[in-house]
């Protein structure tokens, strides 16, 4: 199947072609801008350096997607998911975590009704 043609970067005045919304150079800049101005500060606090260490430890202990593994499919972990979200009173305890692949992680959030584009910014 042929690949989609590349399109211009969405950053104003950038002539680079890309497969995504922004070229590599501007994607990094837009991510920094999001982290600095658009991301909810409470979320930023919840996912600090401590979370990075906990996530790494959990991913090393559970290297495969737990949902796929139950179905006999071996898929490497891409996300560590909170069963009960932190903003709903969940914790970073291993009992509240789950290793997931990107597909299963997205499916869980869609079942919950999470729509990241419509989350109010504070």
């Amino acid at each position: 199947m042929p690949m989609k043609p590349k399109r211009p970067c969405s950053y104003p005045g950038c002539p680079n072609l890309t497969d995504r919304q922004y070229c590599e150079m501007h994607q990094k800049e837009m991510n920094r801008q999001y982290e600095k101005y658009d991301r909810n500060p409470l979320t930023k606090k919840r996912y600090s350096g401590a979370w990075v260490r906990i996530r790494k430890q959990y991913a090393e202990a559970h290297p495969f997607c737990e949902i796929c593994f139950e179905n006999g499919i071996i898929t490497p972990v891409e996300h560590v998911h909170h069963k009960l979200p932190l903003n709903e009173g969940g914790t970073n305890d291993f009992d509240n975590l789950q290793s997931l692949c990107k597909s299963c992680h997205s499916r869980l959030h869609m079942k919950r009704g999470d729509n990241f584009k419509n989350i109010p910014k504070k």
Side-chain angles (χ1 to χ4, degrees):
M1 177 176 265
M3 294 182 65
K4 288 174 33 177
K6 293 187 178 222
R7 56 188 219 82
C9 174
S10 294
Y11 194 83
C14 179
N16 296 331
L17 296 176
T18 181
D19 295 323
R20 299 186 172 129
Q21 184 176 4
Y22 297 102
C23 65
E24 269 187 53
M25 180 176 66
H26 292 120
Q27 183 63 51
K28 289 178 184 176
E29 188 174 327
M30 297 309 290
N31 287 344
R32 278 192 299 270
Q33 180 179 341
Y34 170 75
E35 287 291 329
K36 187 172 183 180
Y37 299 111
D38 296 336
R39 191 170 190 194
N40 184 339
L42 297 175
T43 302
K44 199 171 182 177
K45 278 185 186 177
R46 285 192 292 263
Y47 294 102
S48 62
W51 165 245
V52 173
R53 287 189 300 277
I54 293 166
R55 182 200 181 285
K56 183 179 179 189
Q57 289 173 352
Y58 191 83
E60 287 173 355
H62 303 89
F64 303 113
C65 172
E66 294 178 30
I67 294 174
C68 290
F69 194 75
E70 288 174 4
N71 295 323
I73 303 168
I74 296 178
T75 310
V77 63
E78 293 181 69
H79 297 277
V80 175
H81 174 75
H82 288 92
K83 294 174 186 174
L84 179 64
L86 294 176
N87 63 352
E88 294 177 11
T91 65
N92 285 332
D93 294 337
F94 277 21
D95 297 342
N96 190 42
L97 300 178
Q98 188 175 24
S99 290
L100 299 174
C101 64
K102 184 176 181 178
S103 175
C104 291
H105 188 246
S106 296
R107 191 176 315 111
L108 279 177
H109 279 285
M110 292 305 289
K111 283 182 183 176
R112 280 182 44 88
D114 295 343
N115 184 350
F116 297 107
K117 292 181 181 177
N118 293 330
I119 293 175
K121 296 177 183 171
K122 296 180 183 177

